[in-house]
Amino acid sequence: MPEHDRPLLAVLIDADNTSPRYAGAIFEEIAAIGEASVRRCYGDFSSQQMAGWNKVQAEHGLVPLHSPAYTVGKNSSDISLVIDAMDLMHTGRFDGFVLVSSDSDFTRLASRIREQGLDVYGIGQQKTPEAFRRVCKRFIFIENLGGSSPKPTPPGEKPAPAEVAPPPPAAPPKAPLTEARDIILRAMDAIDQEEEWYALGPLGQYITAANPDFDTRTYGRKKLSDLVQDLKIFETKRGAANQLLIRRLD
């Protein structure tokens, strides 16, 4: 296992399956997890639909891996991504992988990497099949990140041609708070403790472990503490070391 201050990550992006408008937000999210040492994106970059990715590669230090679509219905970029992931895994240099895709075809890849004792973080749309989301240590919905806006054109320069890539999908309505309430209550029931007060930090860790795609932003809240307080069924107080404690109201 590599020895360094921050987890060393290999970021592999299925560019055929992801909008380039999310590139900046994706790497901002990854920066909170670890260091994106390897940054590769895969797709048929001769296609007009990939013009957007061609524009953001230099900005984010992405290495494009061109995979021509030789046959209709066969995605050669998926195969290239899997081969590279296995090669990188066997170097023993990385603490984890970030797979950016909404494609269920990467479920087995994520499972194989985790079998090696490495972390796998997924980033994709909310339509991503549950099997892929569940096999990741954490799965982040791309709709919660927000896309970047076009940069203003400097004075005297011609505006850049319109981006050919399809726009990112519209963010779906926020999930109901009752869904988050049930997840929190199930976690409290599953944790074996006699005390009625639960430390919010460990509780949040348990929730994420049991529900890799759990994200307070899905419910329109920035933090778990905001979500708990807005649910109105919990009492909160500060405990030792100023940690937030919660318990169910009778």
PDB file of all heavy atoms in Angstrom, residues 14 16-19 101-104 123-133 139-143 167-170 172 213:
ATOM      1  N   ASP A  14     -15.620   7.414 -18.240  1.00  0.00           N
ATOM      2  CA  ASP A  14     -16.309   6.914 -19.423  1.00  0.00           C
ATOM      3  C   ASP A  14     -16.906   8.129 -20.131  1.00  0.00           C
ATOM      4  O   ASP A  14     -18.036   8.520 -19.869  1.00  0.00           O
ATOM      5  CB  ASP A  14     -17.402   5.922 -18.996  1.00  0.00           C
ATOM      6  CG  ASP A  14     -18.231   5.417 -20.158  1.00  0.00           C
ATOM      7  OD1 ASP A  14     -17.860   5.674 -21.319  1.00  0.00           O
ATOM      8  OD2 ASP A  14     -19.260   4.758 -19.897  1.00  0.00           O
ATOM      9  N   ASP A  16     -17.898   8.608 -23.097  1.00  0.00           N
ATOM     10  CA  ASP A  16     -19.069   8.335 -23.943  1.00  0.00           C
ATOM     11  C   ASP A  16     -20.355   8.423 -23.139  1.00  0.00           C
ATOM     12  O   ASP A  16     -21.436   8.575 -23.703  1.00  0.00           O
ATOM     13  CB  ASP A  16     -18.968   6.923 -24.543  1.00  0.00           C
ATOM     14  CG  ASP A  16     -17.912   6.832 -25.638  1.00  0.00           C
ATOM     15  OD1 ASP A  16     -17.708   7.834 -26.340  1.00  0.00           O
ATOM     16  OD2 ASP A  16     -17.305   5.758 -25.777  1.00  0.00           O
ATOM     17  N   ASN A  17     -20.243   8.306 -21.819  1.00  0.00           N
ATOM     18  CA  ASN A  17     -21.397   8.161 -20.947  1.00  0.00           C
ATOM     19  C   ASN A  17     -21.556   9.330 -19.973  1.00  0.00           C
ATOM     20  O   ASN A  17     -22.420   9.305 -19.110  1.00  0.00           O
ATOM     21  CB  ASN A  17     -21.244   6.849 -20.172  1.00  0.00           C
ATOM     22  CG  ASN A  17     -22.513   6.372 -19.515  1.00  0.00           C
ATOM     23  OD1 ASN A  17     -22.684   6.543 -18.321  1.00  0.00           O
ATOM     24  ND2 ASN A  17     -23.407   5.775 -20.285  1.00  0.00           N
ATOM     25  N   THR A  18     -20.681  10.362 -20.113  1.00  0.00           N
ATOM     26  CA  THR A  18     -20.665  11.461 -19.148  1.00  0.00           C
ATOM     27  C   THR A  18     -20.537  12.788 -19.882  1.00  0.00           C
ATOM     28  O   THR A  18     -19.749  12.903 -20.826  1.00  0.00           O
ATOM     29  CB  THR A  18     -19.470  11.301 -18.178  1.00  0.00           C
ATOM     30  OG1 THR A  18     -19.486   9.992 -17.609  1.00  0.00           O
ATOM     31  CG2 THR A  18     -19.524  12.339 -17.068  1.00  0.00           C
ATOM     32  N   SER A  19     -21.279  13.794 -19.438  1.00  0.00           N
ATOM     33  CA  SER A  19     -21.204  15.107 -20.063  1.00  0.00           C
ATOM     34  C   SER A  19     -19.958  15.860 -19.598  1.00  0.00           C
ATOM     35  O   SER A  19     -19.650  15.897 -18.404  1.00  0.00           O
ATOM     36  CB  SER A  19     -22.446  15.936 -19.708  1.00  0.00           C
ATOM     37  OG  SER A  19     -22.269  17.296 -20.131  1.00  0.00           O
ATOM     38  N   SER A 101     -19.061   6.904 -14.515  1.00  0.00           N
ATOM     39  CA  SER A 101     -19.925   6.306 -15.524  1.00  0.00           C
ATOM     40  C   SER A 101     -21.273   5.967 -14.896  1.00  0.00           C
ATOM     41  O   SER A 101     -21.374   5.809 -13.677  1.00  0.00           O
ATOM     42  CB  SER A 101     -19.298   5.026 -16.098  1.00  0.00           C
ATOM     43  OG  SER A 101     -20.146   4.436 -17.076  1.00  0.00           O
ATOM     44  N   SER A 102     -22.278   5.858 -15.741  1.00  0.00           N
ATOM     45  CA  SER A 102     -23.604   5.410 -15.294  1.00  0.00           C
ATOM     46  C   SER A 102     -23.913   4.033 -15.856  1.00  0.00           C
ATOM     47  O   SER A 102     -25.064   3.589 -15.843  1.00  0.00           O
ATOM     48  CB  SER A 102     -24.681   6.413 -15.736  1.00  0.00           C
ATOM     49  OG  SER A 102     -24.388   7.722 -15.298  1.00  0.00           O
ATOM     50  N   ASP A 103     -22.891   3.362 -16.349  1.00  0.00           N
ATOM     51  CA  ASP A 103     -23.040   2.098 -17.062  1.00  0.00           C
ATOM     52  C   ASP A 103     -22.871   0.914 -16.106  1.00  0.00           C
ATOM     53  O   ASP A 103     -21.836   0.780 -15.447  1.00  0.00           O
ATOM     54  CB  ASP A 103     -21.992   2.036 -18.175  1.00  0.00           C
ATOM     55  CG  ASP A 103     -22.259   0.918 -19.172  1.00  0.00           C
ATOM     56  OD1 ASP A 103     -22.971  -0.045 -18.807  1.00  0.00           O
ATOM     57  OD2 ASP A 103     -21.743   0.992 -20.298  1.00  0.00           O
ATOM     58  N   SER A 104     -23.847   0.050 -16.066  1.00  0.00           N
ATOM     59  CA  SER A 104     -23.801  -1.121 -15.187  1.00  0.00           C
ATOM     60  C   SER A 104     -22.724  -2.116 -15.600  1.00  0.00           C
ATOM     61  O   SER A 104     -22.375  -3.021 -14.828  1.00  0.00           O
ATOM     62  CB  SER A 104     -25.156  -1.831 -15.165  1.00  0.00           C
ATOM     63  OG  SER A 104     -25.479  -2.323 -16.456  1.00  0.00           O
ATOM     64  N   ILE A 123     -19.119   7.765  -9.722  1.00  0.00           N
ATOM     65  CA  ILE A 123     -19.805   9.024  -9.995  1.00  0.00           C
ATOM     66  C   ILE A 123     -20.629   8.815 -11.253  1.00  0.00           C
ATOM     67  O   ILE A 123     -20.089   8.456 -12.308  1.00  0.00           O
ATOM     68  CB  ILE A 123     -18.821  10.189 -10.194  1.00  0.00           C
ATOM     69  CG1 ILE A 123     -17.960  10.407  -8.935  1.00  0.00           C
ATOM     70  CG2 ILE A 123     -19.570  11.475 -10.541  1.00  0.00           C
ATOM     71  CD1 ILE A 123     -16.936  11.528  -9.073  1.00  0.00           C
ATOM     72  N   GLY A 124     -21.940   9.019 -11.149  1.00  0.00           N
ATOM     73  CA  GLY A 124     -22.799   8.823 -12.305  1.00  0.00           C
ATOM     74  C   GLY A 124     -24.182   9.386 -12.055  1.00  0.00           C
ATOM     75  O   GLY A 124     -24.466   9.957 -11.001  1.00  0.00           O
ATOM     76  N   GLN A 125     -25.033   9.208 -13.027  1.00  0.00           N
ATOM     77  CA  GLN A 125     -26.385   9.749 -12.948  1.00  0.00           C
ATOM     78  C   GLN A 125     -27.249   8.916 -11.995  1.00  0.00           C
ATOM     79  O   GLN A 125     -26.937   7.770 -11.690  1.00  0.00           O
ATOM     80  CB  GLN A 125     -27.011   9.779 -14.332  1.00  0.00           C
ATOM     81  CG  GLN A 125     -26.275  10.662 -15.326  1.00  0.00           C
ATOM     82  CD  GLN A 125     -26.870  10.583 -16.722  1.00  0.00           C
ATOM     83  OE1 GLN A 125     -28.085  10.453 -16.883  1.00  0.00           O
ATOM     84  NE2 GLN A 125     -26.033  10.638 -17.739  1.00  0.00           N
ATOM     85  N   GLN A 126     -28.356   9.517 -11.567  1.00  0.00           N
ATOM     86  CA  GLN A 126     -29.245   8.815 -10.654  1.00  0.00           C
ATOM     87  C   GLN A 126     -29.905   7.606 -11.304  1.00  0.00           C
ATOM     88  O   GLN A 126     -30.414   6.733 -10.605  1.00  0.00           O
ATOM     89  CB  GLN A 126     -30.311   9.784 -10.120  1.00  0.00           C
ATOM     90  CG  GLN A 126     -29.743  10.822  -9.166  1.00  0.00           C
ATOM     91  CD  GLN A 126     -30.819  11.619  -8.450  1.00  0.00           C
ATOM     92  OE1 GLN A 126     -32.006  11.435  -8.693  1.00  0.00           O
ATOM     93  NE2 GLN A 126     -30.404  12.516  -7.581  1.00  0.00           N
ATOM     94  N   LYS A 127     -29.862   7.535 -12.620  1.00  0.00           N
ATOM     95  CA  LYS A 127     -30.414   6.372 -13.317  1.00  0.00           C
ATOM     96  C   LYS A 127     -29.452   5.177 -13.287  1.00  0.00           C
ATOM     97  O   LYS A 127     -29.806   4.085 -13.748  1.00  0.00           O
ATOM     98  CB  LYS A 127     -30.721   6.727 -14.774  1.00  0.00           C
ATOM     99  CG  LYS A 127     -29.470   6.978 -15.618  1.00  0.00           C
ATOM    100  CD  LYS A 127     -29.825   7.276 -17.067  1.00  0.00           C
ATOM    101  CE  LYS A 127     -28.568   7.437 -17.925  1.00  0.00           C
ATOM    102  NZ  LYS A 127     -28.908   7.733 -19.344  1.00  0.00           N
ATOM    103  N   THR A 128     -28.251   5.359 -12.740  1.00  0.00           N
ATOM    104  CA  THR A 128     -27.273   4.270 -12.674  1.00  0.00           C
ATOM    105  C   THR A 128     -27.876   3.059 -11.962  1.00  0.00           C
ATOM    106  O   THR A 128     -28.444   3.209 -10.875  1.00  0.00           O
ATOM    107  CB  THR A 128     -26.010   4.727 -11.925  1.00  0.00           C
ATOM    108  OG1 THR A 128     -25.480   5.899 -12.565  1.00  0.00           O
ATOM    109  CG2 THR A 128     -24.953   3.632 -11.924  1.00  0.00           C
ATOM    110  N   PRO A 129     -27.768   1.881 -12.531  1.00  0.00           N
ATOM    111  CA  PRO A 129     -28.338   0.677 -11.891  1.00  0.00           C
ATOM    112  C   PRO A 129     -27.819   0.486 -10.467  1.00  0.00           C
ATOM    113  O   PRO A 129     -26.652   0.773 -10.166  1.00  0.00           O
ATOM    114  CB  PRO A 129     -27.894  -0.453 -12.813  1.00  0.00           C
ATOM    115  CG  PRO A 129     -27.747   0.196 -14.154  1.00  0.00           C
ATOM    116  CD  PRO A 129     -27.208   1.574 -13.869  1.00  0.00           C
ATOM    117  N   GLU A 130     -28.690  -0.001  -9.618  1.00  0.00           N
ATOM    118  CA  GLU A 130     -28.367  -0.154  -8.203  1.00  0.00           C
ATOM    119  C   GLU A 130     -27.170  -1.085  -7.987  1.00  0.00           C
ATOM    120  O   GLU A 130     -26.384  -0.881  -7.057  1.00  0.00           O
ATOM    121  CB  GLU A 130     -29.579  -0.683  -7.442  1.00  0.00           C
ATOM    122  CG  GLU A 130     -29.359  -0.769  -5.936  1.00  0.00           C
ATOM    123  CD  GLU A 130     -30.602  -1.230  -5.197  1.00  0.00           C
ATOM    124  OE1 GLU A 130     -31.588  -1.605  -5.866  1.00  0.00           O
ATOM    125  OE2 GLU A 130     -30.573  -1.222  -3.952  1.00  0.00           O
ATOM    126  N   ALA A 131     -27.026  -2.101  -8.814  1.00  0.00           N
ATOM    127  CA  ALA A 131     -25.927  -3.053  -8.629  1.00  0.00           C
ATOM    128  C   ALA A 131     -24.578  -2.349  -8.676  1.00  0.00           C
ATOM    129  O   ALA A 131     -23.686  -2.645  -7.872  1.00  0.00           O
ATOM    130  CB  ALA A 131     -25.994  -4.135  -9.704  1.00  0.00           C
ATOM    131  N   PHE A 132     -24.400  -1.424  -9.605  1.00  0.00           N
ATOM    132  CA  PHE A 132     -23.149  -0.681  -9.701  1.00  0.00           C
ATOM    133  C   PHE A 132     -22.986   0.262  -8.515  1.00  0.00           C
ATOM    134  O   PHE A 132     -21.915   0.362  -7.913  1.00  0.00           O
ATOM    135  CB  PHE A 132     -23.104   0.094 -11.027  1.00  0.00           C
ATOM    136  CG  PHE A 132     -21.829   0.865 -11.261  1.00  0.00           C
ATOM    137  CD1 PHE A 132     -20.636   0.483 -10.668  1.00  0.00           C
ATOM    138  CD2 PHE A 132     -21.819   1.974 -12.095  1.00  0.00           C
ATOM    139  CE1 PHE A 132     -19.457   1.194 -10.900  1.00  0.00           C
ATOM    140  CE2 PHE A 132     -20.657   2.697 -12.327  1.00  0.00           C
ATOM    141  CZ  PHE A 132     -19.471   2.301 -11.727  1.00  0.00           C
ATOM    142  N   ARG A 133     -24.066   0.924  -8.119  1.00  0.00           N
ATOM    143  CA  ARG A 133     -23.995   1.866  -6.999  1.00  0.00           C
ATOM    144  C   ARG A 133     -23.618   1.144  -5.710  1.00  0.00           C
ATOM    145  O   ARG A 133     -22.804   1.620  -4.928  1.00  0.00           O
ATOM    146  CB  ARG A 133     -25.331   2.591  -6.815  1.00  0.00           C
ATOM    147  CG  ARG A 133     -25.811   3.336  -8.051  1.00  0.00           C
ATOM    148  CD  ARG A 133     -26.863   4.378  -7.721  1.00  0.00           C
ATOM    149  NE  ARG A 133     -27.902   3.929  -6.822  1.00  0.00           N
ATOM    150  CZ  ARG A 133     -29.110   3.530  -7.190  1.00  0.00           C
ATOM    151  NH1 ARG A 133     -29.429   3.490  -8.487  1.00  0.00           N
ATOM    152  NH2 ARG A 133     -30.017   3.159  -6.291  1.00  0.00           N
ATOM    153  N   PHE A 139     -21.068   6.103  -3.816  1.00  0.00           N
ATOM    154  CA  PHE A 139     -21.495   6.472  -5.159  1.00  0.00           C
ATOM    155  C   PHE A 139     -22.104   7.867  -5.102  1.00  0.00           C
ATOM    156  O   PHE A 139     -23.017   8.127  -4.306  1.00  0.00           O
ATOM    157  CB  PHE A 139     -22.517   5.482  -5.731  1.00  0.00           C
ATOM    158  CG  PHE A 139     -22.745   5.675  -7.207  1.00  0.00           C
ATOM    159  CD1 PHE A 139     -21.974   4.973  -8.124  1.00  0.00           C
ATOM    160  CD2 PHE A 139     -23.676   6.572  -7.675  1.00  0.00           C
ATOM    161  CE1 PHE A 139     -22.150   5.165  -9.484  1.00  0.00           C
ATOM    162  CE2 PHE A 139     -23.863   6.782  -9.031  1.00  0.00           C
ATOM    163  CZ  PHE A 139     -23.095   6.069  -9.939  1.00  0.00           C
ATOM    164  N   ILE A 140     -21.605   8.752  -5.940  1.00  0.00           N
ATOM    165  CA  ILE A 140     -22.006  10.160  -5.926  1.00  0.00           C
ATOM    166  C   ILE A 140     -22.835  10.453  -7.163  1.00  0.00           C
ATOM    167  O   ILE A 140     -22.381  10.217  -8.291  1.00  0.00           O
ATOM    168  CB  ILE A 140     -20.761  11.069  -5.885  1.00  0.00           C
ATOM    169  CG1 ILE A 140     -19.917  10.758  -4.635  1.00  0.00           C
ATOM    170  CG2 ILE A 140     -21.157  12.547  -5.906  1.00  0.00           C
ATOM    171  CD1 ILE A 140     -18.484  11.218  -4.723  1.00  0.00           C
ATOM    172  N   PHE A 141     -24.034  10.955  -6.946  1.00  0.00           N
ATOM    173  CA  PHE A 141     -24.883  11.314  -8.079  1.00  0.00           C
ATOM    174  C   PHE A 141     -24.363  12.595  -8.715  1.00  0.00           C
ATOM    175  O   PHE A 141     -24.193  13.621  -8.053  1.00  0.00           O
ATOM    176  CB  PHE A 141     -26.328  11.504  -7.632  1.00  0.00           C
ATOM    177  CG  PHE A 141     -27.000  10.222  -7.221  1.00  0.00           C
ATOM    178  CD1 PHE A 141     -27.739  10.162  -6.051  1.00  0.00           C
ATOM    179  CD2 PHE A 141     -26.902   9.084  -7.996  1.00  0.00           C
ATOM    180  CE1 PHE A 141     -28.370   8.993  -5.656  1.00  0.00           C
ATOM    181  CE2 PHE A 141     -27.525   7.901  -7.623  1.00  0.00           C
ATOM    182  CZ  PHE A 141     -28.256   7.857  -6.452  1.00  0.00           C
ATOM    183  N   ILE A 142     -24.158  12.532 -10.009  1.00  0.00           N
ATOM    184  CA  ILE A 142     -23.598  13.673 -10.718  1.00  0.00           C
ATOM    185  C   ILE A 142     -24.555  14.864 -10.709  1.00  0.00           C
ATOM    186  O   ILE A 142     -24.133  16.026 -10.777  1.00  0.00           O
ATOM    187  CB  ILE A 142     -23.222  13.253 -12.164  1.00  0.00           C
ATOM    188  CG1 ILE A 142     -22.101  14.140 -12.699  1.00  0.00           C
ATOM    189  CG2 ILE A 142     -24.441  13.239 -13.073  1.00  0.00           C
ATOM    190  CD1 ILE A 142     -21.448  13.596 -13.949  1.00  0.00           C
ATOM    191  N   GLU A 143     -25.849  14.581 -10.579  1.00  0.00           N
ATOM    192  CA  GLU A 143     -26.825  15.677 -10.528  1.00  0.00           C
ATOM    193  C   GLU A 143     -26.639  16.541  -9.286  1.00  0.00           C
ATOM    194  O   GLU A 143     -27.048  17.707  -9.267  1.00  0.00           O
ATOM    195  CB  GLU A 143     -28.251  15.120 -10.548  1.00  0.00           C
ATOM    196  CG  GLU A 143     -28.658  14.473 -11.857  1.00  0.00           C
ATOM    197  CD  GLU A 143     -28.348  12.981 -11.907  1.00  0.00           C
ATOM    198  OE1 GLU A 143     -27.543  12.511 -11.087  1.00  0.00           O
ATOM    199  OE2 GLU A 143     -28.925  12.300 -12.772  1.00  0.00           O
ATOM    200  N   PRO A 167     -26.357  18.495 -23.643  1.00  0.00           N
ATOM    201  CA  PRO A 167     -26.358  19.121 -22.322  1.00  0.00           C
ATOM    202  C   PRO A 167     -26.570  18.083 -21.239  1.00  0.00           C
ATOM    203  O   PRO A 167     -27.133  17.021 -21.494  1.00  0.00           O
ATOM    204  CB  PRO A 167     -27.556  20.085 -22.404  1.00  0.00           C
ATOM    205  CG  PRO A 167     -28.450  19.488 -23.442  1.00  0.00           C
ATOM    206  CD  PRO A 167     -27.530  18.844 -24.439  1.00  0.00           C
ATOM    207  N   PRO A 168     -26.109  18.379 -20.025  1.00  0.00           N
ATOM    208  CA  PRO A 168     -26.312  17.429 -18.938  1.00  0.00           C
ATOM    209  C   PRO A 168     -27.791  17.300 -18.624  1.00  0.00           C
ATOM    210  O   PRO A 168     -28.570  18.227 -18.860  1.00  0.00           O
ATOM    211  CB  PRO A 168     -25.561  18.079 -17.766  1.00  0.00           C
ATOM    212  CG  PRO A 168     -25.510  19.528 -18.099  1.00  0.00           C
ATOM    213  CD  PRO A 168     -25.419  19.603 -19.581  1.00  0.00           C
ATOM    214  N   PRO A 169     -28.213  16.168 -18.118  1.00  0.00           N
ATOM    215  CA  PRO A 169     -29.620  15.987 -17.802  1.00  0.00           C
ATOM    216  C   PRO A 169     -30.063  16.947 -16.710  1.00  0.00           C
ATOM    217  O   PRO A 169     -29.288  17.311 -15.828  1.00  0.00           O
ATOM    218  CB  PRO A 169     -29.678  14.535 -17.309  1.00  0.00           C
ATOM    219  CG  PRO A 169     -28.293  14.226 -16.861  1.00  0.00           C
ATOM    220  CD  PRO A 169     -27.395  15.001 -17.754  1.00  0.00           C
ATOM    221  N   ALA A 170     -31.299  17.368 -16.797  1.00  0.00           N
ATOM    222  CA  ALA A 170     -31.827  18.266 -15.777  1.00  0.00           C
ATOM    223  C   ALA A 170     -31.868  17.560 -14.434  1.00  0.00           C
ATOM    224  O   ALA A 170     -32.130  16.372 -14.352  1.00  0.00           O
ATOM    225  CB  ALA A 170     -33.239  18.715 -16.171  1.00  0.00           C
ATOM    226  N   PRO A 172     -33.167  16.108 -11.217  1.00  0.00           N
ATOM    227  CA  PRO A 172     -34.505  15.650 -10.842  1.00  0.00           C
ATOM    228  C   PRO A 172     -34.961  16.335  -9.567  1.00  0.00           C
ATOM    229  O   PRO A 172     -34.151  16.931  -8.849  1.00  0.00           O
ATOM    230  CB  PRO A 172     -34.290  14.146 -10.616  1.00  0.00           C
ATOM    231  CG  PRO A 172     -32.859  14.045 -10.203  1.00  0.00           C
ATOM    232  CD  PRO A 172     -32.133  15.113 -10.960  1.00  0.00           C
ATOM    233  N   ASP A 213     -24.835   5.237  -1.929  1.00  0.00           N
ATOM    234  CA  ASP A 213     -25.299   6.387  -2.704  1.00  0.00           C
ATOM    235  C   ASP A 213     -26.018   7.430  -1.847  1.00  0.00           C
ATOM    236  O   ASP A 213     -26.608   8.368  -2.385  1.00  0.00           O
ATOM    237  CB  ASP A 213     -26.198   5.939  -3.851  1.00  0.00           C
ATOM    238  CG  ASP A 213     -27.396   5.106  -3.383  1.00  0.00           C
ATOM    239  OD1 ASP A 213     -27.558   4.944  -2.162  1.00  0.00           O
ATOM    240  OD2 ASP A 213     -28.157   4.622  -4.238  1.00  0.00           O
TER     241      ASP A 213
END
